[in-house]
Amino acid sequence: MRIGELAARAGTTTRTLRYYESRGLLPARRGGNGYRTYDESDLKLLRQIRTLQDFGFDLEETRPFVECLQAGHPEGDTCPASLDVYRRKLAELDELIGELQAVRAQIGVRLATAGGEVPLCELGGQEL
């Protein structure tokens, strides 16, 4: 398939595909006519990248998943490098959740001291 069809099927733009190609995430194959050509495996790569980006992964963090697929694995998250990225992302999310919980607690205290109601913690239903 050509670049326009791949972009449409992946729900992205041809400009994005060219950018992924320049970053080495999408193979740069050309047909005899000079046009870029793609197949179903390229669509799978793009879907993997887009899913991870929807989860908050930056583009470079998707590279191990893409490389895993390109190595012939049925899924991009079955390789050790991909699992390492998952672990790092979970640690990052845990840290952010901790920071948000601390901010929520501070705001709850300020609300309570300002004369408002003491908010219930939505995670456990307990007062702060």
Side-chain angles (χ1 to χ4, degrees), residues 120-127:
L120 294 179
C121 176
E122 293 178 16
L123 297 177
Q126 304 164 350
E127 288 189 13

Side-chain angles (χ1 to χ4, degrees), residues 3 9 11 17 20-21 25 31-32 37-38 42-43 51 66 72 79-80 83 96 98 100 102 108 112-113 122-124:
I3 193 167
R9 289 183 64 191
L17 298 184
Y20 291 170
E21 182 182 306
L25 293 170
T37 60
Y38 302 97
D42 299 316
L43 182 59
T51 297
V66 168
C79 295
L83 298 175
L96 289 171
L100 289 171
T113 59
E122 293 178 16
L123 297 177

Side-chain angles (χ1 to χ4, degrees), residues 62-88:
T62 70
R63 186 174 299 281
F65 299 86
V66 168
E67 290 171 350
C68 189
L69 285 170
Q70 289 173 329
H73 295 271
E75 300 297 329
D77 58 3
T78 57
C79 295
S82 303
L83 298 175
D84 288 343
V85 173
Y86 274 158
R87 287 183 191 98
R88 283 193 306 270

Side-chain angles (χ1 to χ4, degrees), residues 12-75:
T12 191
T13 65
T14 57
R15 182 177 182 189
T16 298
L17 298 184
R18 286 186 200 100
Y19 178 69
Y20 291 170
E21 182 182 306
S22 74
R23 298 287 306 268
L25 293 170
L26 189 63
R29 292 183 304 270
R30 303 259 179 186
N33 57 8
Y35 292 126
R36 289 173 173 89
T37 60
Y38 302 97
D39 58 27
E40 292 298 318
S41 66
D42 299 316
L43 182 59
K44 189 171 186 174
L45 290 177
L46 288 172
R47 287 184 173 148
Q48 178 78 80
I49 292 168
R50 305 251 323 153
T51 297
L52 292 169
Q53 286 190 307
D54 287 347
F55 290 162
F57 289 68
D58 66 37
L59 191 57
E60 196 54 37
E61 288 174 317
T62 70
R63 186 174 299 281
F65 299 86
V66 168
E67 290 171 350
C68 189
L69 285 170
Q70 289 173 329
H73 295 271
E75 300 297 329

Side-chain angles (χ1 to χ4, degrees), residues 101-123:
Q101 287 173 330
V103 169
R104 187 192 188 287
Q106 291 173 2
I107 292 172
V109 167
R110 289 182 180 254
L111 177 62
T113 59
E117 296 180 23
V118 177
L120 294 179
C121 176
E122 293 178 16
L123 297 177

Side-chain angles (χ1 to χ4, degrees), residues 88-102:
R88 283 193 306 270
K89 184 56 78 174
L90 280 177
E92 180 184 312
L93 291 170
D94 287 341
E95 184 177 329
L96 289 171
I97 289 168
E99 291 171 9
L100 289 171
Q101 287 173 330

